[in-house]
Amino acid sequence: MQAKKKDDGKFYAIKRSKNALKSKGERTSLLKEFKAAMAIGDNANIVKYHTAWQENGCLWMQMELCDRGSLKRILRKISEKRQEVLQDPHSAKSRHRIEKWGAFAPDVLGG
């Protein structure tokens, strides 16, 4: 889910653990993973973690919101575009995509 933070007006992704935490060890393990992700720092290819808290037995995390959608959605779109190229590799649209992707051209054109 996403939420707008009142103090800065920005939207963030909010994640919740699927199940309630059953022990202090489980909580410690999840927080250790969260802290490791925070230690990475700024990287354009990695989602930034901001804060975490425990509420109603679950671990909640506030993270950078990826405005391009989920990884699953992005991979599905890439797959759909690839299928279009494979179906008609000589169309103008496919040629444009082949030039844009570069390394994809030999696979499609048999080169």
Side-chain angles (χ1 to χ4, degrees):
M1 82 172 90
Q2 70 179 16
K4 186 176 183 179
K5 192 171 178 185
K6 290 179 183 179
D7 64 348
D8 66 8
K10 294 180 182 178
F11 284 92
Y12 294 90
I14 306 296
K15 300 282 185 175
R16 178 181 62 89
S17 58
K18 289 183 179 184
N19 301 312
L21 304 175
K22 296 177 182 142
S23 68
K24 284 186 178 182
E26 190 176 6
R27 178 183 183 272
T28 301
S29 177
L30 284 172
L31 284 175
K32 190 175 181 181
E33 184 179 332
F34 176 80
K35 287 177 183 178
M38 283 187 71
I40 293 171
D42 288 337
N43 184 309
N45 299 314
I46 299 174
V47 173
K48 185 175 181 181
Y49 287 72
H50 292 279
T51 190
W53 67 95
Q54 188 174 344
E55 184 178 311
N56 298 327
C58 293
L59 182 68
W60 294 77
M61 294 177 280
Q62 175 189 341
M63 306 172 351
E64 173 184 16
L65 180 64
C66 298
D67 58 359
R68 298 182 105 187
S70 70
L71 178 59
K72 183 178 180 179
R73 182 182 153 274
I74 292 168
L75 291 175
R76 185 176 49 240
K77 264 190 125 159
I78 290 170
S79 178
E80 288 169 1
K81 289 178 181 180
R82 185 176 186 276
Q83 285 303 318
E84 287 176 18
V85 170
L86 290 173
Q87 288 173 4
D88 186 9
H90 301 289
S91 72
K93 193 175 190 180
S94 292
R95 285 277 182 197
H96 172 74
R97 286 187 177 147
I98 290 167
E99 288 172 16
K100 185 176 176 182
W101 296 337
F104 189 50
D107 294 342
V108 174
L109 301 176

